[in-house]
C-alpha cells in the first residue's frame, strides 16, 4: 500500500478530461439548493417530510449514464451521502437511508452498473459533514448553529464516534460495489471562525482521522484516486466554481486537477434557478481546463423523481454535439508549449495542435512561433482546409497586402463566416 495512486490511474483520469457530477438526495424535493437545510436552519423534524415523500419513481441511471456518454463524458461521480446525512444505499450503520424510505431500493448499485455498461468510470462523492448524525458536533455550518437549546443538548456529542461511522460507511461503499475509480470526499474547514471571531468548531484531518481513512481507502481500492478535501494532500486538486489561471501546482510542482462546475450555480436540483450557463460557455470551460492540463467535472442535480430536467438534458446534448465533432481535441489531449493567440486556447496531442477559437477573428489569425512548423491545417468540424500564410519579414504592408509580420509567425486565412459550432477548432499538423 502506498500513499500515492498507480501512475496508470493518473493517466487514465487525465485522458478522460470530462466527467459528470451528480448531486442527488432528499434536497431534490425542497428543490432550492443542496444546502437548504443549512440556509433555512431546518431541524430534522422540518426535513422529515422529504424523507417521507422520497419516491424516485422515474429513476433510471441508464438514462443518466447514456446522457453523460453522449455528452462526451468518460466518468461519473455520484453523491452517496451529502451534508444532509441521507444515504443513497442500504447502510448497515444507519437508518437514515433509502432502504428505510417507502422507495426502499438501493440507488448506488444501479448507478454503478449503468455507468459501467456505458463504459464510464465510477466515482463516489461522500460528505464528511453530516447534519443528521446524532454524534456530529454542531458547528458554524450546521443547520442548528444558532439554536442555543440544540447546541446545549448536543454538548456531549463525540466526533470520535462520528468518525467511526464515517469510516464504516466508506468501507461499505468501497467493499460492496466492485472497483471504484474515484473517491470524492467533501469537505474540511479546520479552524474556521464565526464572523464575530468566535471559534466555529471547524473540522479537519484530526476530526475525520483522515490519514487512517485515506489508508483504508487505498487498501480497499488500490487503483483509486482520492481528492484533496480530507485536509491532507490528495491525488488531485479540486477547484470549485472557478477556472484556474493556469496548470495547477502544489508547492511549485504541477499537480493533477479537476475543476468541478455547476450548470446554474446550484449542485442540487434548484427548480426556480435561472442562472444557467450556456453550452458555449461550458465547452469553453472544458477546453480551458484541458489547455491547462485539467479535467472538468460538470454537475447535474436530478429531480426528486430521479430524472435529469429538460434544461440539463438539452445542455448535455449541445455539448455532446460539439464533442461528436471535436472530441479528439480534448480526449487524451495535453497543454501545448506554444502560446495561443488572444481569446483562444491550444491543446495538443502528438503532432496535432488544436486551436480553439473562443471568438471568431475577421479573416486571419496569427500564430506566433509557428512559422514554418505547420504542414497542414483544417477546420476540425468538417475537415475543410485552412490556408496557411508563411510571412516574409521583409514584406511591408501595402493596401490589402499583409506585411510587417515576423517570419516566425504563421498566419491562417479564415472564412468570414464562423463555422456553425459552439467553439470552432482548427487542427494544425505540425511538421
Ligand atoms: C461545496 C458544497 C457542496 C458541494 C461541493 C461540490 O463543498 O458545500 O454542497 O457538494 O461543493 O464540490
Amino acid at each position: 500500500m502506498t500513499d500515492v495512486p498507480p501512475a496508470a490511474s493518473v493517466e487514465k483520469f487525465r485522458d478522460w478530461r470530462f466527467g459528470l457530477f451528480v448531486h442527488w438526495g432528499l434536497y431534490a424535493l425542497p428543490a432550492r439548493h443542496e444546502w437548504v437545510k443549512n440556509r433555512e436552519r431546518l431541524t430534522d423534524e422540518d426535513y422529515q417530510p422529504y424523507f417521507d415523500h422520497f419516491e424516485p419513481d422515474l429513476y433510471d441511471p441508464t438514462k443518466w449514464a447514456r446522457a453523460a456518454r453522449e455528452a462526451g463524458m468518460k466518468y461519473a461521480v455520484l453523491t452517496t451521502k451529502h451534508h444532509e446525512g441521507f444515504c443513497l444505499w442500504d447502510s448497515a450503520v444507519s437508518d437514515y437511508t433509502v432502504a428505510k424510505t417507502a422507495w426502499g431500493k438501493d440507488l448506488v448499485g444501479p448507478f454503478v452498473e449503468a455507468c459501467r455498461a456505458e463504459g464510464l468510470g465510477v466515482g463516489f462523492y461522500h460528505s464528511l459533514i453530516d447534519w443528521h448524525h446524532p454524534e456530529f458536533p454542531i458547528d458554524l455550518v450546521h443547520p442548528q448553529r444558532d439554536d442555543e437549546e440544540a447546541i446545549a443538548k448536543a454538548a456531549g456529542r463525540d466526533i470520535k464516534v462520528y468518525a467511526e461511522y464515517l469510516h464504516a460507511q466508506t468501507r461499505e461503499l468501497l467493499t460492496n460495489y466492485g472497483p471504484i475509480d474515484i473517491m470524492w470526499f467533501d469537505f474540511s474547514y479546520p479552524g474556521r471562525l464565526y464572523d464575530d471571531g468566535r471559534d466555529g468548531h471547524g473540522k479537519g484531518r484530526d476530526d475525520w482521522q483522515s490519514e487512517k481513512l485515506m489508508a483504508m481507502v487505498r487498501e480497499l481500492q488500490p487503483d483509486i484516486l482520492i481528492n484533496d478535501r480530507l485536509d491532507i494532500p490528495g491525488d488531485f486538486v479540486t477547484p470549485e466554481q472557478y477556472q484556474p489561471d493556469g496548470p495547477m501546482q502544489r508547492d511549485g510542482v504541477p499537480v493533477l486537477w479537476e475543476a468541478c462546475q455547476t450548470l446554474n450555480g446550484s449542485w442540487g436540483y434548484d427548480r426556480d434557478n435561472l442562472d444557467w450557463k450556456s453550452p458555449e460557455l461550458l465547452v469553453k470551460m472544458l477546453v480551458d481546463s484541458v489547455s491547462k492540463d485539467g479535467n472538468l467535472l460538470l454537475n447535474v442535480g436530478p429531480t426528486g423523481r430521479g430524472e435529469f430536467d429538460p434544461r440539463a438534458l438539452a445542455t448535455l446534448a449541445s455539448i455532446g454535439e460539439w464533442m461528436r465533432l471535436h472530441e479528439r481535441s480534448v480526449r487524451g489531449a495535453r497543454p501545448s508549449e506554444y502560446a495561443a493567440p488572444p481569446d483562444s486556447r491550444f491543446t495538443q496531442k502528438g503532432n496535432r495542435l488544436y486551436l480553439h477559437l473562443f471568438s471568431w477573428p475577421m479573416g486571419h489569425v496569427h500564430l506566433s512561433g509557428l512559422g514554418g512548423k505547420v504542414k497542414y491545417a483544417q477546420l476540425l468540424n468538417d475537415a475543410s482546409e485552412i490556408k496557411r500564410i508563411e510571412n516574409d519579414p521583409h514584406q511591408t504592408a501595402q493596401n490589402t497586402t499583409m506585411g510587417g509580420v515576423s517570419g516566425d509567425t504563421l498566419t491562417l486565412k479564415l472564412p468570414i463566416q464562423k463555422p456553425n459550432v459552439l467553439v470552432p477548432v482548427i487542427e494544425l499538423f505540425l511538421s
Side-chain angles (χ1 to χ4, degrees):
M1 188 173 61
T2 69
D3 63 355
V4 292
S9 298
V10 171
E11 286 315 302
K12 178 177 69 175
F13 180 78
R14 278 176 90 197
D15 285 344
W16 281 342
R17 288 310 187 199
F18 189 27
L20 172 71
F21 214 169
V22 178
H23 275 69
W24 196 35
L26 299 182
Y27 45 81
L29 274 73
R32 46 189 193 272
H33 199 277
E34 75 286 351
W35 273 60
V36 59
K37 192 173 185 182
N38 163 286
R39 292 176 171 188
E40 298 179 14
R41 291 168 168 75
L42 301 177
T43 64
D44 289 346
E45 185 184 0
D46 297 330
Y47 213 73
Q48 188 60 28
Y50 308 129
F51 183 96
D52 295 341
H53 296 283
F54 186 70
E55 188 182 357
D57 60 320
L58 299 180
Y59 176 53
D60 179 353
T62 297
K63 289 182 179 175
W64 295 7
R66 194 157 295 155
R69 176 177 56 77
E70 290 171 356
M73 296 165 161
K74 294 296 277 185
Y75 63 107
V77 179
L78 171 68
T79 52
T80 57
K81 180 195 82 167
H82 204 262
H83 309 336
E84 65 181 8
F86 177 71
C87 305
L88 272 58
W89 81 103
D90 182 7
S91 171
V93 295
S94 174
D95 287 337
Y96 201 51
T97 79
V98 65
K100 299 298 188 291
T101 67
W103 182 252
K105 291 175 282 190
D106 176 30
L107 301 166
V108 172
F111 172 85
V112 172
E113 289 159 22
C115 288
R116 290 190 182 132
E118 294 294 327
L120 301 179
V122 176
F124 287 156
Y125 166 110
H126 193 68
S127 177
L128 301 168
I129 297 166
D130 193 312
W131 294 330
H132 182 270
H133 195 277
E135 293 296 337
F136 188 87
I138 293 177
D139 58 23
L140 78 172
V141 296
H142 194 282
Q144 274 69 64
R145 60 194 175 280
D146 300 331
D147 181 337
E148 293 305 325
E149 185 180 335
I151 291 170
K153 279 174 63 179
R157 290 185 176 188
D158 183 349
I159 188 68
K160 291 184 180 59
V161 173
Y162 172 71
E164 285 175 20
Y165 172 80
L166 169 65
H167 288 224
Q169 289 203 321
T170 302
R171 178 175 291 277
E172 286 181 344
L173 288 167
L174 298 183
T175 302
N176 298 342
Y177 295 107
I180 302 301
D181 298 292
I182 297 164
M183 193 69 206
W184 220 101
F185 289 109
D186 182 51
F187 66 94
S188 299
Y189 44 111
R192 199 176 292 184
L193 304 177
Y194 284 99
D195 293 343
D196 62 8
R198 283 179 299 126
D199 181 0
H201 303 292
K203 296 176 178 61
R205 67 189 73 170
D206 296 337
D207 303 290
W208 319 128
Q209 298 179 33
S210 296
E211 304 278 357
K212 182 181 169 191
L213 182 57
M214 186 174 274
M216 179 186 78
V217 170
R218 293 219 194 279
E219 182 181 356
L220 292 170
Q221 297 274 350
D223 295 334
I224 204 165
L225 294 180
I226 306 166
N227 76 334
D228 63 338
R229 297 194 178 186
L230 280 169
D231 187 30
I232 56 177
D235 301 326
F236 62 98
V237 171
T238 57
E240 172 182 336
Q241 307 258 36
Y242 73 93
Q243 287 294 126
D245 71 344
M248 296 200 80
Q249 300 181 349
R250 185 190 288 134
D251 302 326
V253 177
V255 67
L256 196 63
W257 65 272
E258 169 198 74
C260 54
Q261 301 283 10
T262 61
L263 294 177
N264 60 10
S266 174
W267 301 98
Y269 181 59
D270 188 358
R271 181 192 62 203
D272 305 335
N273 184 317
L274 300 176
D275 206 17
W276 291 75
K277 301 176 181 73
S278 69
E280 177 182 338
L281 176 58
L282 293 164
V283 166
K284 288 176 179 176
M285 290 158 63
L286 171 60
V287 167
D288 179 64
S289 298
V290 177
S291 76
K292 296 163 182 171
D293 206 13
N295 286 14
L296 174 66
L297 187 65
L298 183 60
N299 181 77
V300 174
T303 69
R305 296 200 58 188
E307 284 194 310
F308 288 1
D309 69 273
R311 285 291 304 254
L313 288 171
T315 299
L316 292 181
S318 296
I319 296 171
E321 174 56 15
W322 185 87
M323 283 292 279
R324 183 181 69 82
L325 294 170
H326 302 89
E327 179 176 18
R328 68 181 191 237
S329 72
V330 165
R331 191 82 65 223
R334 297 289 188 269
S336 170
E337 64 183 10
Y338 295 106
D343 210 12
S344 70
R345 301 294 187 275
F346 274 144
T347 62
Q348 185 163 345
K349 205 157 46 175
N351 76 331
R352 296 192 187 197
L353 180 61
Y354 296 95
L355 172 63
H356 302 261
L357 291 164
F358 285 11
S359 60
W360 188 247
M362 197 292 288
H364 300 86
V365 61
H366 304 286
L367 307 181
S368 176
L370 280 161
K373 296 180 180 176
V374 176
K375 62 185 177 184
Y376 189 70
Q378 62 181 8
L379 275 173
L380 184 52
N381 61 290
D382 64 359
S384 59
E385 183 181 13
I386 290 292
K387 285 288 188 186
R388 291 161 292 115
I389 301 167
E390 299 293 351
N391 288 291
D392 173 359
H394 306 298
Q395 173 66 52
T396 55
Q398 184 64 46
N399 296 9
T400 58
T401 302
M402 191 181 296
V405 182
S406 164
D408 81 348
T409 294
L410 174 69
T411 298
L412 302 178
K413 181 80 176 74
L414 302 179
I416 293 301
Q417 297 299 316
K418 174 191 169 195
N420 185 25
V421 293
L422 295 176
V423 175
V425 181
I426 295 174
E427 186 172 43
L428 303 162
F429 294 79
L430 299 175
S431 305

